[in-house]
Structure formats: C-alpha cells, structure tokens
Amino acid sequence: VPTVLEGDNGCLPHVLQRVKNQGFAVIVVAEGAGEELLGESTETDASGNKKLPMIGEFMREKIVDYFRDNGEVATVKYIDPSYMIRSIPANASDSLYCMQLAQNAVHGAMAGYTGFSVGLCNNKMVLLPIPQLVATSPRMMKSNGRTWERVLALTRQPNTVEE
C-alpha cells in the first residue's frame, strides 16, 4: 500500500483535520514503510541487515512543514520504540520461548538440516524452510485485501489506494 502524503486522501490533510477535530493525533508508522518516497537503502547495519529508510523522522518533518504551511502549529512527539522494546529484560515466558527456539535450532542443525528457521505453529515447535518462509512473507500488503480493509476500519483513515 503506497504512502500518500498530500491530496484529497493524503495522510497530511487527514492528520490536520483530526488534530483540528480532536486536538491530537497518534500516528504509528511501520519500520520500512515509505520506501517509495525515500528510496531503498543499499547500506547495511553492523549485523549485516539492510538499513531501512528513516520514515519516522521524515514524517515528523513533513507534518511540521504541512501544519506551518496551513497556518497551524504542530507539536510532534516522535518516539522510536525499537531500542526501548529491545532493551527491556525478558520475563519467564520470554526466557522459556527463547530456550525452546534455541534447543530446536540446535536439534535441526545436529540432524543435518540447513536453510531453516525455528518457529511456533499450532503450539508445536517446527522447522521452517527459509526459502518458503521468505517467499510467503507478507512484506507487501494487498491494497484491496481484507487486512488493509481492517486497518482502514480500525484507524478511520482515508483509503489512499486508487480503485
């Protein structure tokens, strides 16, 4: 689903109207969203993972600029929870789940399997072939699918997808 900032169904006019009506708006942006606006990065982080565009900072700047251009003032509180979430201590359930994932990964490797990931499916630990796992991963959401319709219904945002 493309990120549409301006226009009749754009995100920015919707945010401005929401703030005028309610006095505030909460905006949640998925990590990796906005590649069509910011371009795909060829850089990698220290772990070798592809760096994703900084959509949160980009949106913060666009919102402030849009409000200013429309004679309004925006106070934007930008929170990037990625490191806050990763920095909390694991509870007992987290520790047990991680132990089970690790044990099953070792069992798979000791059995001679390669190219797999371990996961929980129907309350059973399973070995998942990475090629099939990646091939069916919902990196892109169907713009006319049920999940997108649920997002629109729950957030009450305008549909930016052209029919």
Side-chain angles (χ1 to χ4, degrees):
V1 178
T3 305
V4 178
L5 294 179
E6 301 199 33
D8 292 340
N9 291 324
C11 172
L12 297 174
H14 180 68
V15 171
L16 179 61
Q17 191 59 46
R18 177 65 58 106
V19 171
K20 284 182 177 180
N21 292 344
Q22 291 183 226
F24 70 94
V26 176
I27 302 167
V28 179
V29 182
E31 184 179 42
E35 282 184 334
E36 70 276 2
L37 298 172
L38 300 172
E40 283 193 46
S41 175
T42 57
E43 298 176 49
T44 57
D45 63 12
S47 302
N49 298 316
K50 182 175 120 178
K51 282 190 174 180
L52 298 170
M54 301 299 288
I55 188 66
E57 293 174 10
F58 173 79
M59 288 298 293
R60 177 184 59 201
E61 292 171 14
K62 289 293 185 183
I63 291 167
V64 169
D65 292 346
Y66 186 81
F67 272 61
R68 186 186 60 242
D69 294 347
N70 285 280
E72 300 288 336
V73 176
T75 304
V76 179
K77 309 284 192 272
Y78 173 62
I79 301 169
D80 182 357
S82 57
Y83 289 101
M84 288 188 288
I85 291 170
R86 294 178 188 140
S87 65
I88 61 171
N91 62 26
S93 294
D94 295 334
S95 297
L96 177 64
Y97 183 55
C98 288
M99 180 188 70
Q100 290 172 327
L101 289 173
Q103 286 176 344
N104 282 280
V106 169
H107 285 302
M110 295 292 279
Y113 295 114
T114 60
F116 70 93
S117 180
V118 179
L120 189 65
C121 184
N122 294 329
N123 287 327
K124 302 230 186 282
M125 283 290 171
V126 294
L127 305 182
L128 303 163
I130 289 177
Q132 282 84 359
L133 187 65
V134 173
T136 59
S137 174
R139 171 116 169 82
M140 300 296 286
M141 189 183 311
K142 291 180 185 172
S143 60
N144 60 351
R146 186 178 293 174
T147 302
W148 181 241
E149 291 297 326
R150 287 180 181 141
V151 168
L152 294 175
L154 286 170
T155 61
R156 291 179 275 162
Q157 68 188 33
N159 190 355
T160 58
V161 178
E162 307 233 348
E163 299 295 326

CSV table of all heavy atoms in Angstrom, one decimal, residues 33-98:
chain,number,residue,atom,x,y,z
A,33,ALA,N,8.4,1.3,6.1
A,33,ALA,CA,7.4,2.0,5.2
A,33,ALA,C,8.0,3.2,4.5
A,33,ALA,O,9.0,3.8,5.0
A,33,ALA,CB,6.2,2.4,6.1
A,34,GLY,N,7.4,3.6,3.4
A,34,GLY,CA,7.8,4.8,2.7
A,34,GLY,C,9.0,4.6,1.8
A,34,GLY,O,9.6,5.6,1.4
A,35,GLU,N,9.3,3.4,1.4
A,35,GLU,CA,10.5,3.2,0.5
A,35,GLU,C,10.2,3.9,-0.8
A,35,GLU,O,11.1,4.3,-1.5
A,35,GLU,CB,10.8,1.7,0.3
A,35,GLU,CG,11.5,1.1,1.5
A,35,GLU,CD,11.9,-0.3,1.2
A,35,GLU,OE1,11.2,-1.0,0.4
A,35,GLU,OE2,12.9,-0.8,1.8
A,36,GLU,N,8.9,4.0,-1.2
A,36,GLU,CA,8.6,4.6,-2.5
A,36,GLU,C,8.9,6.1,-2.4
A,36,GLU,O,9.0,6.8,-3.4
A,36,GLU,CB,7.2,4.3,-2.9
A,36,GLU,CG,6.1,5.0,-2.1
A,36,GLU,CD,5.7,4.2,-0.9
A,36,GLU,OE1,6.3,3.2,-0.6
A,36,GLU,OE2,4.8,4.7,-0.2
A,37,LEU,N,8.9,6.7,-1.2
A,37,LEU,CA,9.2,8.1,-1.0
A,37,LEU,C,10.6,8.4,-0.8
A,37,LEU,O,11.2,9.4,-1.3
A,37,LEU,CB,8.4,8.7,0.2
A,37,LEU,CG,6.8,8.6,0.1
A,37,LEU,CD1,6.2,9.0,1.4
A,37,LEU,CD2,6.4,9.5,-1.0
A,38,LEU,N,11.3,7.6,0.0
A,38,LEU,CA,12.6,7.8,0.4
A,38,LEU,C,13.7,7.0,-0.3
A,38,LEU,O,14.9,7.2,-0.2
A,38,LEU,CB,12.8,7.5,1.9
A,38,LEU,CG,11.9,8.3,2.8
A,38,LEU,CD1,12.0,7.8,4.3
A,38,LEU,CD2,12.3,9.8,2.8
A,39,GLY,N,13.2,6.0,-1.1
A,39,GLY,CA,14.1,5.1,-1.8
A,39,GLY,C,14.6,4.0,-1.0
A,39,GLY,O,14.7,4.1,0.2
A,40,GLU,N,15.1,3.0,-1.7
A,40,GLU,CA,15.6,1.8,-0.9
A,40,GLU,C,17.1,2.1,-0.6
A,40,GLU,O,17.8,2.6,-1.4
A,40,GLU,CB,15.5,0.5,-1.8
A,40,GLU,CG,14.2,-0.1,-1.8
A,40,GLU,CD,14.2,-1.5,-2.4
A,40,GLU,OE1,15.0,-2.2,-2.0
A,40,GLU,OE2,13.3,-1.7,-3.3
A,41,SER,N,17.5,1.7,0.6
A,41,SER,CA,18.9,1.9,1.0
A,41,SER,C,19.7,0.7,0.6
A,41,SER,O,19.2,-0.4,0.6
A,41,SER,CB,18.9,2.0,2.5
A,41,SER,OG,20.2,2.1,3.0
A,42,THR,N,20.9,1.0,0.2
A,42,THR,CA,21.9,-0.1,-0.1
A,42,THR,C,22.8,-0.3,1.1
A,42,THR,O,23.6,-1.2,1.0
A,42,THR,CB,22.7,0.2,-1.3
A,42,THR,OG1,23.4,1.5,-1.1
A,42,THR,CG2,21.8,0.3,-2.6
A,43,GLU,N,22.7,0.5,2.1
A,43,GLU,CA,23.5,0.4,3.3
A,43,GLU,C,23.1,-0.8,4.2
A,43,GLU,O,21.9,-1.2,4.2
A,43,GLU,CB,23.5,1.6,4.1
A,43,GLU,CG,24.0,2.9,3.4
A,43,GLU,CD,23.8,4.1,4.3
A,43,GLU,OE1,24.2,4.1,5.5
A,43,GLU,OE2,23.3,5.1,3.8
A,44,THR,N,24.0,-1.3,5.0
A,44,THR,CA,23.7,-2.3,6.0
A,44,THR,C,24.2,-1.9,7.3
A,44,THR,O,25.1,-1.1,7.5
A,44,THR,CB,24.3,-3.7,5.6
A,44,THR,OG1,25.7,-3.5,5.5
A,44,THR,CG2,23.8,-4.2,4.3
A,45,ASP,N,23.5,-2.4,8.4
A,45,ASP,CA,24.0,-2.1,9.8
A,45,ASP,C,25.1,-3.0,10.2
A,45,ASP,O,25.6,-3.8,9.4
A,45,ASP,CB,22.8,-2.1,10.7
A,45,ASP,CG,22.2,-3.5,10.9
A,45,ASP,OD1,22.8,-4.5,10.4
A,45,ASP,OD2,21.1,-3.6,11.4
A,46,ALA,N,25.5,-2.9,11.4
A,46,ALA,CA,26.7,-3.7,11.9
A,46,ALA,C,26.4,-5.2,11.8
A,46,ALA,O,27.3,-6.0,11.7
A,46,ALA,CB,27.0,-3.3,13.3
A,47,SER,N,25.1,-5.6,11.9
A,47,SER,CA,24.7,-7.1,11.8
A,47,SER,C,24.6,-7.6,10.4
A,47,SER,O,24.3,-8.7,10.1
A,47,SER,CB,23.4,-7.3,12.5
A,47,SER,OG,23.5,-6.9,13.9
A,48,GLY,N,24.7,-6.7,9.4
A,48,GLY,CA,24.6,-7.0,8.0
A,48,GLY,C,23.2,-6.9,7.5
A,48,GLY,O,22.9,-7.3,6.3
A,49,ASN,N,22.2,-6.4,8.3
A,49,ASN,CA,20.9,-6.2,7.9
A,49,ASN,C,20.7,-5.0,7.1
A,49,ASN,O,21.4,-4.0,7.4
A,49,ASN,CB,19.9,-6.2,9.1
A,49,ASN,CG,19.9,-7.4,9.9
A,49,ASN,OD1,19.9,-8.5,9.4
A,49,ASN,ND2,20.0,-7.3,11.2
A,50,LYS,N,19.8,-5.0,6.1
A,50,LYS,CA,19.6,-3.8,5.3
A,50,LYS,C,19.0,-2.7,6.1
A,50,LYS,O,18.1,-2.9,6.9
A,50,LYS,CB,18.6,-4.1,4.2
A,50,LYS,CG,18.4,-3.0,3.2
A,50,LYS,CD,17.5,-3.5,2.1
A,50,LYS,CE,16.2,-2.7,2.1
A,50,LYS,NZ,15.3,-3.0,1.0
A,51,LYS,N,19.6,-1.5,6.0
A,51,LYS,CA,19.1,-0.3,6.8
A,51,LYS,C,17.8,0.1,6.1
A,51,LYS,O,17.8,0.3,4.9
A,51,LYS,CB,20.1,0.8,6.8
A,51,LYS,CG,21.2,0.6,7.8
A,51,LYS,CD,22.0,1.9,7.9
A,51,LYS,CE,23.1,1.8,9.0
A,51,LYS,NZ,23.9,3.0,9.1
A,52,LEU,N,16.8,0.4,6.9
A,52,LEU,CA,15.5,0.8,6.3
A,52,LEU,C,15.5,2.3,6.4
A,52,LEU,O,16.1,3.0,7.2
A,52,LEU,CB,14.4,0.2,7.2
A,52,LEU,CG,14.4,-1.4,7.1
A,52,LEU,CD1,13.4,-1.9,8.1
A,52,LEU,CD2,14.0,-1.8,5.7
A,53,PRO,N,14.6,2.9,5.5
A,53,PRO,CA,14.5,4.4,5.5
A,53,PRO,C,14.0,4.9,6.8
A,53,PRO,O,13.2,4.2,7.5
A,53,PRO,CB,13.5,4.7,4.4
A,53,PRO,CG,13.2,3.4,3.7
A,53,PRO,CD,13.8,2.3,4.5
A,54,MET,N,14.4,6.1,7.2
A,54,MET,CA,14.0,6.7,8.5
A,54,MET,C,12.7,7.4,8.3
A,54,MET,O,12.6,8.6,8.3
A,54,MET,CB,15.1,7.7,9.0
A,54,MET,CG,16.5,7.1,9.2
A,54,MET,SD,16.5,5.8,10.4
A,54,MET,CE,16.3,6.8,11.9
A,55,ILE,N,11.6,6.6,8.2
A,55,ILE,CA,10.3,7.1,7.8
A,55,ILE,C,9.8,7.9,9.0
A,55,ILE,O,9.0,8.9,8.8
A,55,ILE,CB,9.3,6.0,7.4
A,55,ILE,CG1,8.0,6.5,6.9
A,55,ILE,CG2,9.1,5.0,8.6
A,55,ILE,CD1,8.1,7.3,5.6
A,56,GLY,N,10.1,7.6,10.2
A,56,GLY,CA,9.6,8.4,11.4
A,56,GLY,C,10.0,9.8,11.4
A,56,GLY,O,9.2,10.7,11.5
A,57,GLU,N,11.3,10.0,11.2
A,57,GLU,CA,11.9,11.4,11.2
A,57,GLU,C,11.3,12.1,9.9
A,57,GLU,O,11.0,13.3,10.0
A,57,GLU,CB,13.4,11.3,11.2
A,57,GLU,CG,13.9,10.8,12.5
A,57,GLU,CD,15.4,10.6,12.4
A,57,GLU,OE1,16.1,11.0,11.4
A,57,GLU,OE2,16.0,10.0,13.4
A,58,PHE,N,11.2,11.4,8.8
A,58,PHE,CA,10.7,12.0,7.6
A,58,PHE,C,9.3,12.5,7.8
A,58,PHE,O,8.9,13.7,7.5
A,58,PHE,CB,10.8,11.0,6.4
A,58,PHE,CG,10.1,11.5,5.2
A,58,PHE,CD1,10.8,12.3,4.3
A,58,PHE,CD2,8.9,11.0,4.8
A,58,PHE,CE1,10.2,12.7,3.1
A,58,PHE,CE2,8.3,11.4,3.7
A,58,PHE,CZ,8.9,12.3,2.8
A,59,MET,N,8.4,11.7,8.4
A,59,MET,CA,7.1,12.0,8.7
A,59,MET,C,7.0,13.2,9.6
A,59,MET,O,6.1,14.1,9.5
A,59,MET,CB,6.3,10.8,9.2
A,59,MET,CG,6.0,9.8,8.1
A,59,MET,SD,5.0,10.4,6.7
A,59,MET,CE,3.4,10.7,7.6
A,60,ARG,N,7.8,13.2,10.7
A,60,ARG,CA,7.8,14.3,11.6
A,60,ARG,C,8.0,15.6,10.9
A,60,ARG,O,7.3,16.6,11.1
A,60,ARG,CB,8.8,14.0,12.7
A,60,ARG,CG,8.9,15.2,13.7
A,60,ARG,CD,10.0,15.0,14.7
A,60,ARG,NE,11.3,14.9,14.0
A,60,ARG,CZ,12.3,14.4,14.6
A,60,ARG,NH1,12.3,13.9,15.8
A,60,ARG,NH2,13.5,14.4,13.9
A,61,GLU,N,9.0,15.7,10.1
A,61,GLU,CA,9.4,16.9,9.4
A,61,GLU,C,8.2,17.3,8.4
A,61,GLU,O,7.9,18.5,8.3
A,61,GLU,CB,10.7,16.7,8.6
A,61,GLU,CG,11.9,16.6,9.4
A,61,GLU,CD,13.1,16.2,8.6
A,61,GLU,OE1,13.1,16.2,7.4
A,61,GLU,OE2,14.1,15.8,9.3
A,62,LYS,N,7.7,16.3,7.7
A,62,LYS,CA,6.6,16.6,6.8
A,62,LYS,C,5.3,17.2,7.5
A,62,LYS,O,4.7,18.1,7.0
A,62,LYS,CB,6.2,15.4,6.0
A,62,LYS,CG,7.2,15.0,4.9
A,62,LYS,CD,7.3,16.1,3.9
A,62,LYS,CE,8.3,15.7,2.8
A,62,LYS,NZ,8.5,16.7,1.8
A,63,ILE,N,5.0,16.6,8.7
A,63,ILE,CA,3.9,17.1,9.4
A,63,ILE,C,4.1,18.5,9.9
A,63,ILE,O,3.2,19.3,9.8
A,63,ILE,CB,3.6,16.1,10.6
A,63,ILE,CG1,3.1,14.8,10.1
A,63,ILE,CG2,2.6,16.7,11.6
A,63,ILE,CD1,3.1,13.6,11.1
A,64,VAL,N,5.2,18.8,10.5
A,64,VAL,CA,5.5,20.1,11.0
A,64,VAL,C,5.4,21.1,9.8
A,64,VAL,O,4.8,22.2,9.9
A,64,VAL,CB,6.9,20.2,11.7
A,64,VAL,CG1,7.3,21.6,11.9
A,64,VAL,CG2,6.9,19.4,13.0
A,65,ASP,N,6.1,20.8,8.7
A,65,ASP,CA,6.0,21.7,7.5
A,65,ASP,C,4.6,21.9,7.0
A,65,ASP,O,4.2,23.0,6.7
A,65,ASP,CB,6.9,21.1,6.4
A,65,ASP,CG,8.4,21.1,6.7
A,65,ASP,OD1,8.8,21.8,7.7
A,65,ASP,OD2,9.2,20.4,6.0
A,66,TYR,N,3.8,20.8,6.9
A,66,TYR,CA,2.4,20.9,6.4
A,66,TYR,C,1.6,21.8,7.3
A,66,TYR,O,0.8,22.6,6.8
A,66,TYR,CB,1.8,19.5,6.3
A,66,TYR,CG,0.5,19.5,5.6
A,66,TYR,CD1,0.4,19.6,4.2
A,66,TYR,CD2,-0.7,19.5,6.3
A,66,TYR,CE1,-0.8,19.6,3.6
A,66,TYR,CE2,-1.9,19.5,5.7
A,66,TYR,CZ,-2.0,19.5,4.3
A,66,TYR,OH,-3.2,19.6,3.7
A,67,PHE,N,1.7,21.6,8.6
A,67,PHE,CA,0.9,22.4,9.5
A,67,PHE,C,1.3,23.9,9.4
A,67,PHE,O,0.5,24.8,9.4
A,67,PHE,CB,1.1,21.9,11.0
A,67,PHE,CG,0.2,20.8,11.4
A,67,PHE,CD1,0.2,19.6,10.8
A,67,PHE,CD2,-0.7,21.0,12.5
A,67,PHE,CE1,-0.7,18.6,11.1
A,67,PHE,CE2,-1.6,20.0,12.9
A,67,PHE,CZ,-1.6,18.8,12.2
A,68,ARG,N,2.6,24.1,9.3
A,68,ARG,CA,3.1,25.5,9.2
A,68,ARG,C,2.6,26.1,7.9
A,68,ARG,O,2.1,27.3,7.9
A,68,ARG,CB,4.6,25.6,9.2
A,68,ARG,CG,5.2,27.0,9.2
A,68,ARG,CD,6.7,27.0,9.1
A,68,ARG,NE,7.2,26.4,7.8
A,68,ARG,CZ,7.9,25.3,7.8
A,68,ARG,NH1,8.4,24.7,8.9
A,68,ARG,NH2,8.3,24.8,6.6
A,69,ASP,N,2.6,25.4,6.8
A,69,ASP,CA,2.1,25.9,5.5
A,69,ASP,C,0.6,26.2,5.5
A,69,ASP,O,0.1,27.0,4.7
A,69,ASP,CB,2.5,24.9,4.4
A,69,ASP,CG,4.0,24.8,4.1
A,69,ASP,OD1,4.7,25.6,4.6
A,69,ASP,OD2,4.3,23.8,3.5
A,70,ASN,N,-0.1,25.5,6.5
A,70,ASN,CA,-1.5,25.8,6.6
A,70,ASN,C,-1.9,26.6,7.8
A,70,ASN,O,-3.0,26.6,8.2
A,70,ASN,CB,-2.2,24.4,6.7
A,70,ASN,CG,-2.3,23.7,5.4
A,70,ASN,OD1,-3.2,24.0,4.5
A,70,ASN,ND2,-1.4,22.8,5.1
A,71,GLY,N,-0.9,27.4,8.3
A,71,GLY,CA,-1.2,28.4,9.3
A,71,GLY,C,-1.4,27.8,10.7
A,71,GLY,O,-2.0,28.4,11.6
A,72,GLU,N,-1.0,26.6,10.9
A,72,GLU,CA,-1.1,25.9,12.2
A,72,GLU,C,0.2,25.6,12.8
A,72,GLU,O,1.2,25.6,12.1
A,72,GLU,CB,-1.9,24.6,12.0
A,72,GLU,CG,-3.3,24.8,11.5
A,72,GLU,CD,-4.3,25.4,12.5
A,72,GLU,OE1,-4.1,25.3,13.7
A,72,GLU,OE2,-5.3,26.0,12.0
A,73,VAL,N,0.2,25.3,14.1
A,73,VAL,CA,1.5,24.9,14.8
A,73,VAL,C,1.3,23.4,15.2
A,73,VAL,O,0.3,23.0,15.8
A,73,VAL,CB,1.7,25.7,16.0
A,73,VAL,CG1,3.0,25.2,16.7
A,73,VAL,CG2,1.9,27.2,15.6
A,74,ALA,N,2.3,22.6,14.9
A,74,ALA,CA,2.3,21.2,15.2
A,74,ALA,C,3.4,20.9,16.3
A,74,ALA,O,4.5,21.3,16.1
A,74,ALA,CB,2.5,20.3,14.0
A,75,THR,N,3.0,20.3,17.4
A,75,THR,CA,3.9,19.9,18.4
A,75,THR,C,4.0,18.3,18.2
A,75,THR,O,3.0,17.6,18.6
A,75,THR,CB,3.5,20.2,19.8
A,75,THR,OG1,3.3,21.6,19.9
A,75,THR,CG2,4.5,19.8,20.8
A,76,VAL,N,5.1,17.9,17.7
A,76,VAL,CA,5.2,16.4,17.3
A,76,VAL,C,6.1,15.8,18.3
A,76,VAL,O,7.3,16.2,18.5
A,76,VAL,CB,5.7,16.2,15.9
A,76,VAL,CG1,5.9,14.7,15.6
A,76,VAL,CG2,4.8,16.9,14.9
A,77,LYS,N,5.6,14.8,19.0
A,77,LYS,CA,6.4,14.0,19.9
A,77,LYS,C,6.8,12.7,19.2
A,77,LYS,O,5.9,11.8,18.9
A,77,LYS,CB,5.6,13.6,21.2
A,77,LYS,CG,5.0,14.7,21.9
A,77,LYS,CD,6.0,15.5,22.7
A,77,LYS,CE,5.3,16.5,23.6
A,77,LYS,NZ,5.0,17.8,23.1
A,78,TYR,N,8.0,12.6,18.8
A,78,TYR,CA,8.5,11.4,18.0
A,78,TYR,C,9.2,10.4,18.9
A,78,TYR,O,10.1,10.7,19.6
A,78,TYR,CB,9.4,11.9,16.9
A,78,TYR,CG,10.1,10.7,16.1
A,78,TYR,CD1,9.3,9.9,15.4
A,78,TYR,CD2,11.5,10.6,16.2
A,78,TYR,CE1,9.9,8.8,14.7
A,78,TYR,CE2,12.1,9.5,15.5
A,78,TYR,CZ,11.3,8.7,14.7
A,78,TYR,OH,11.9,7.6,14.1
A,79,ILE,N,8.6,9.2,18.9
A,79,ILE,CA,9.2,8.1,19.8
A,79,ILE,C,9.6,7.0,18.8
A,79,ILE,O,8.7,6.4,18.1
A,79,ILE,CB,8.2,7.7,20.8
A,79,ILE,CG1,7.8,8.9,21.7
A,79,ILE,CG2,8.8,6.5,21.7
A,79,ILE,CD1,6.7,8.6,22.6
A,80,ASP,N,10.8,6.6,18.9
A,80,ASP,CA,11.2,5.4,18.1
A,80,ASP,C,11.4,4.3,19.2
A,80,ASP,O,12.4,4.2,19.9
A,80,ASP,CB,12.6,5.6,17.4
A,80,ASP,CG,13.0,4.5,16.6
A,80,ASP,OD1,12.4,3.4,16.6
A,80,ASP,OD2,14.1,4.6,15.9
A,81,PRO,N,10.4,3.4,19.3
A,81,PRO,CA,10.5,2.4,20.3
A,81,PRO,C,11.4,1.2,20.1
A,81,PRO,O,11.5,0.4,21.0
A,81,PRO,CB,9.0,1.9,20.4
A,81,PRO,CG,8.5,2.0,19.0
A,81,PRO,CD,9.2,3.3,18.5
A,82,SER,N,12.0,1.1,18.9
A,82,SER,CA,12.7,-0.1,18.6
A,82,SER,C,13.8,-0.5,19.7
A,82,SER,O,13.8,-1.6,20.1
A,82,SER,CB,13.4,0.0,17.2
A,82,SER,OG,14.3,1.2,17.2
A,83,TYR,N,14.5,0.5,20.1
A,83,TYR,CA,15.5,0.1,21.1
A,83,TYR,C,15.0,0.0,22.5
A,83,TYR,O,15.4,-0.7,23.4
A,83,TYR,CB,16.7,1.1,21.1
A,83,TYR,CG,17.5,0.8,19.8
A,83,TYR,CD1,17.4,1.6,18.7
A,83,TYR,CD2,18.4,-0.3,19.7
A,83,TYR,CE1,18.1,1.4,17.5
A,83,TYR,CE2,19.0,-0.5,18.6
A,83,TYR,CZ,18.9,0.3,17.5
A,83,TYR,OH,19.6,0.0,16.3
A,84,MET,N,13.9,0.8,22.8
A,84,MET,CA,13.2,0.6,24.1
A,84,MET,C,12.6,-0.8,24.2
A,84,MET,O,12.7,-1.4,25.3
A,84,MET,CB,12.1,1.7,24.3
A,84,MET,CG,12.6,3.1,24.5
A,84,MET,SD,11.3,4.2,24.9
A,84,MET,CE,10.5,4.3,23.3
A,85,ILE,N,12.0,-1.3,23.2
A,85,ILE,CA,11.4,-2.6,23.2
A,85,ILE,C,12.5,-3.6,23.4
A,85,ILE,O,12.3,-4.6,24.1
A,85,ILE,CB,10.5,-2.8,22.0
A,85,ILE,CG1,9.3,-1.9,22.0
A,85,ILE,CG2,10.1,-4.3,21.8
A,85,ILE,CD1,8.5,-1.9,20.7
A,86,ARG,N,13.6,-3.5,22.7
A,86,ARG,CA,14.6,-4.5,22.7
A,86,ARG,C,15.4,-4.4,24.0
A,86,ARG,O,16.2,-5.3,24.3
A,86,ARG,CB,15.6,-4.3,21.5
A,86,ARG,CG,14.9,-4.5,20.2
A,86,ARG,CD,15.8,-4.3,19.0
A,86,ARG,NE,15.1,-4.3,17.8
A,86,ARG,CZ,15.3,-3.5,16.8
A,86,ARG,NH1,16.2,-2.6,16.8
A,86,ARG,NH2,14.6,-3.6,15.7
A,87,SER,N,15.3,-3.4,24.8
A,87,SER,CA,16.1,-3.2,25.9
A,87,SER,C,15.5,-3.6,27.3
A,87,SER,O,16.1,-3.6,28.3
A,87,SER,CB,16.6,-1.8,26.1
A,87,SER,OG,15.5,-0.9,26.3
A,88,ILE,N,14.2,-4.1,27.2
A,88,ILE,CA,13.6,-4.5,28.5
A,88,ILE,C,14.0,-5.9,28.8
A,88,ILE,O,14.2,-6.7,27.9
A,88,ILE,CB,12.1,-4.3,28.4
A,88,ILE,CG1,11.5,-5.2,27.4
A,88,ILE,CG2,11.6,-2.9,28.3
A,88,ILE,CD1,10.0,-5.3,27.4
A,89,PRO,N,14.1,-6.2,30.1
A,89,PRO,CA,14.5,-7.6,30.4
A,89,PRO,C,13.5,-8.6,30.1
A,89,PRO,O,12.3,-8.3,30.1
A,89,PRO,CB,14.7,-7.6,31.9
A,89,PRO,CG,14.2,-6.2,32.4
A,89,PRO,CD,14.0,-5.4,31.2
A,90,ALA,N,13.9,-9.8,29.7
A,90,ALA,CA,13.0,-10.9,29.4
A,90,ALA,C,12.3,-11.4,30.6
A,90,ALA,O,12.9,-11.5,31.7
A,90,ALA,CB,13.7,-12.0,28.7
A,91,ASN,N,11.0,-11.7,30.5
A,91,ASN,CA,10.3,-12.3,31.6
A,91,ASN,C,10.4,-13.9,31.5
A,91,ASN,O,11.1,-14.4,30.5
A,91,ASN,CB,8.8,-11.9,31.7
A,91,ASN,CG,8.0,-12.2,30.5
A,91,ASN,OD1,8.3,-13.2,29.8
A,91,ASN,ND2,7.0,-11.5,30.2
A,92,ALA,N,9.8,-14.6,32.4
A,92,ALA,CA,9.9,-16.1,32.4
A,92,ALA,C,9.4,-16.7,31.1
A,92,ALA,O,10.0,-17.6,30.5
A,92,ALA,CB,9.2,-16.6,33.6
A,93,SER,N,8.3,-16.2,30.5
A,93,SER,CA,7.8,-16.7,29.3
A,93,SER,C,8.7,-16.5,28.1
A,93,SER,O,8.9,-17.3,27.3
A,93,SER,CB,6.4,-16.1,29.0
A,93,SER,OG,5.5,-16.4,30.0
A,94,ASP,N,9.3,-15.2,28.1
A,94,ASP,CA,10.3,-14.9,27.0
A,94,ASP,C,11.5,-15.9,27.1
A,94,ASP,O,11.9,-16.4,26.1
A,94,ASP,CB,10.8,-13.5,27.1
A,94,ASP,CG,9.7,-12.5,26.9
A,94,ASP,OD1,8.7,-12.8,26.2
A,94,ASP,OD2,9.8,-11.3,27.4
A,95,SER,N,12.0,-16.1,28.3
A,95,SER,CA,13.1,-16.9,28.5
A,95,SER,C,12.8,-18.4,28.1
A,95,SER,O,13.7,-19.0,27.4
A,95,SER,CB,13.6,-16.9,30.0
A,95,SER,OG,14.0,-15.6,30.3
A,96,LEU,N,11.7,-18.9,28.4
A,96,LEU,CA,11.3,-20.3,28.1
A,96,LEU,C,11.2,-20.4,26.6
A,96,LEU,O,11.7,-21.3,26.0
A,96,LEU,CB,10.0,-20.6,28.8
A,96,LEU,CG,9.4,-22.0,28.4
A,96,LEU,CD1,10.4,-23.1,28.9
A,96,LEU,CD2,8.1,-22.2,29.0
A,97,TYR,N,10.5,-19.4,25.9
A,97,TYR,CA,10.3,-19.4,24.5
A,97,TYR,C,11.7,-19.4,23.8
A,97,TYR,O,11.9,-20.2,22.8
A,97,TYR,CB,9.4,-18.3,24.0
A,97,TYR,CG,9.1,-18.3,22.6
A,97,TYR,CD1,8.5,-19.4,21.9
A,97,TYR,CD2,9.3,-17.1,21.8
A,97,TYR,CE1,8.2,-19.3,20.6
A,97,TYR,CE2,9.0,-17.1,20.5
A,97,TYR,CZ,8.5,-18.2,19.9
A,97,TYR,OH,8.2,-18.2,18.5
A,98,CYS,N,12.6,-18.5,24.2
A,98,CYS,CA,13.9,-18.4,23.6
A,98,CYS,C,14.7,-19.7,23.8
A,98,CYS,O,15.4,-20.2,22.9
A,98,CYS,CB,14.7,-17.2,24.2
A,98,CYS,SG,14.0,-15.7,23.6
